[in-house]
Amino acid sequence: MENLMHSKVYVGTYAKYNNGSIKGEWIELSNFSSIEEFYEFCLELHADETDPKFMFQDWENIPSELISESSLSENIFSIIEKVSDLDYKTLEAFSTWVSIGNHDIASDDIDSLFESFEDDYQGHYDGEDDFAYQIIDECYDLSDFAKTYFDYESFARDLFMSDYTYENGHVFRNN
């Protein structure tokens, strides 16, 4: 999903394909703000047919949940718009969060999906122990003496048994 801003699809039609032609064109999705605009362009591209049935013959940088040979999720344009504002680390975290959770980027409301991500995302850490250190520093008033005896490893293990997930350096709250 990191390259979603550079997503493109090769659009032909079933009629051309069935007649032995793969005539079509690569279309960059970032040039459109909605699925309606995209399909209008596809209609113009294949104006030589009365009622063209579009065939997405190849694509790049599009998650498989959003495209198939015969359909393109209208959510893709909302997602492209949303991710264009994210820095690389946050986009990487969002991609990871989508891949580990029960999130349907093809049909879920994108604004709600991003709100859930923002609620769940805790940050980037070098390991589960680093996250545990931060939790202890922020939430507990332990003296320096007590901190030297605190078992951060066990605490981290307990945190990540049910409340949090650590994946690719990112920590997410489990909901």
Side-chain angles (χ1 to χ4, degrees):
M1 196 170 309
E2 288 86 19
N3 294 320
L4 197 58
M5 290 303 302
H6 305 290
S7 59
K8 57 185 178 178
V9 60
Y10 190 87
V11 181
T13 66
Y14 283 98
K16 286 182 178 78
Y17 183 80
N18 290 334
N19 288 315
S21 171
I22 58 168
K23 184 177 183 288
E25 189 173 305
W26 280 102
I27 301 173
E28 297 226 11
L29 297 181
S30 61
N31 293 333
F32 306 94
S33 60
S34 70
I35 197 141
E36 292 81 18
E37 275 184 35
F38 172 75
Y39 281 129
E40 277 181 38
F41 183 84
C42 292
L43 282 170
E44 290 173 22
L45 175 64
H46 294 288
D48 58 334
E49 293 182 36
T50 307
D51 185 22
K53 302 291 184 236
F54 303 120
M55 181 181 193
F56 305 128
Q57 296 168 322
D58 197 7
W59 53 84
E60 293 179 2
N61 303 316
I62 301 174
S64 60
E65 303 93 340
L66 298 176
I67 192 167
S68 70
E69 180 182 283
S70 60
S71 69
L72 180 67
S73 170
E74 60 187 80
N75 272 1
I76 193 164
F77 298 98
S78 300
I79 293 171
I80 289 171
E81 181 182 332
K82 285 282 193 184
V83 301
S84 68
D85 297 333
L86 301 179
D87 61 62
Y88 176 77
K89 276 284 188 215
T90 306
L91 180 55
E92 178 186 67
F94 178 73
S95 296
T96 301
W97 178 79
V98 166
S99 71
I100 64 172
N102 293 321
H103 313 290
D104 186 359
I105 60 174
S107 62
D108 286 352
D109 175 69
I110 298 305
D111 290 330
S112 297
L113 192 68
F114 272 84
E115 286 175 20
S116 295
F117 164 71
E118 289 170 356
D119 289 343
D120 291 349
Y121 186 52
Q122 303 300 302
H124 187 269
Y125 295 87
D126 290 331
E128 293 176 357
D129 291 357
D130 286 341
F131 181 70
Y133 277 99
Q134 180 177 327
I135 293 292
I136 294 300
D137 283 345
E138 289 180 0
C139 300
Y140 301 97
D141 190 21
L142 298 180
S143 68
D144 288 339
F145 178 76
K147 287 179 184 179
T148 61
Y149 290 97
F150 191 84
D151 188 350
Y152 289 94
E153 223 175 277
S154 294
F155 182 67
R157 186 184 64 245
D158 289 348
L159 287 173
F160 288 93
M161 277 185 176
S162 61
D163 296 334
Y164 297 93
T165 298
Y166 181 81
E167 191 74 33
N168 297 332
H170 301 284
V171 175
F172 305 98
R173 182 183 5 254
N174 296 332
N175 284 323

